[in-house]
Amino acid sequence: MPRIILFSLILSLTGFRAVAGEKQAHMVKTMIEETNNFRRREGRRPLKVNAELTEAAQKHAAHMARKENMSHDGFSFFIKSSGYSYTRLAENVASFSGSFSAVDVVHGWMKSSGHRRNLLDRRLVDFGIGMAQGKSHRWYICQDFGCPR
């Protein structure tokens, strides 16, 4: 239950059409499960959801939505400003318009060599996911990974 409260707090703080409601919370939960199921199938340990990385991912998703531009720009800034102290970082981003599912997002990352590498990196132990919708109704998704200091 604390994760849902934190997620709601992060959403209220980020503003600009950030994820709200049960449907989006369910999508994030499903992306977390799909990510860890994929890691297990590939012989990796599951990642732990981290509050600071979740905050950073949500802020980055909101930033991309505000700019209507998917990019890794500002990636380390959002993580540093969340307070996460790290030795290693990685990030996956995605953007969708129209109908899509959480499974579509994770499976898209699994099919891309760079994103797949991030999903399976044994050195990464924590992660967080954020989503936000732009004025054009396009969704921006950010998945941040880290290894704490």
Side-chain angles (χ1 to χ4, degrees):
M1 193 63 157
R3 287 184 188 147
I4 300 229
I5 293 168
L6 172 66
F7 187 66
S8 298
L9 174 63
I10 290 168
L11 297 178
S12 67
L13 294 175
T14 58
F16 191 79
R17 296 180 155 214
V19 178
E22 289 183 31
K23 182 177 180 182
Q24 288 78 21
H26 183 271
M27 285 188 71
V28 169
K29 181 178 181 281
T30 302
M31 283 187 268
I32 289 166
E33 292 167 353
E34 282 294 312
T35 296
N36 279 329
N37 288 341
F38 175 58
R39 285 180 61 91
R40 283 185 196 97
R41 284 192 307 272
E42 296 293 320
R44 307 302 196 274
R45 290 186 178 166
L47 298 165
K48 292 178 264 175
V49 174
N50 176 275
E52 290 90 1
L53 289 176
T54 299
E55 176 185 342
Q58 184 58 45
K59 285 180 177 178
H60 193 181
H63 176 75
M64 290 188 293
R66 206 170 20 259
K67 300 283 188 179
E68 294 283 352
N69 182 41
M70 183 180 72
S71 78
H72 293 285
D73 293 346
F75 158 55
S76 61
F77 167 79
F78 292 113
I79 292 177
K80 287 176 186 172
S81 69
S82 76
Y84 187 76
S85 180
Y86 58 88
T87 59
R88 184 166 192 79
L89 294 175
E91 180 180 67
N92 289 341
V93 293
S95 179
F96 289 86
S97 58
S99 180
F100 68 96
S101 71
V103 173
D104 294 334
V105 176
V106 177
H107 285 197
W109 286 331
M110 288 165 39
K111 293 175 185 175
S112 161
S113 62
H115 296 106
R116 182 183 182 89
R117 188 171 35 258
N118 291 341
L119 288 167
L120 296 176
D121 191 331
R122 293 179 191 273
R123 298 165 293 186
L124 300 168
V125 297
D126 296 328
F127 78 136
I129 299 174
M131 294 177 65
Q133 190 176 32
K135 289 180 184 177
S136 67
H137 302 288
R138 186 169 196 80
W139 283 96
Y140 295 85
I141 301 125
C142 180
Q143 184 180 49
D144 286 336
F145 304 89
C147 179
R149 192 170 296 284

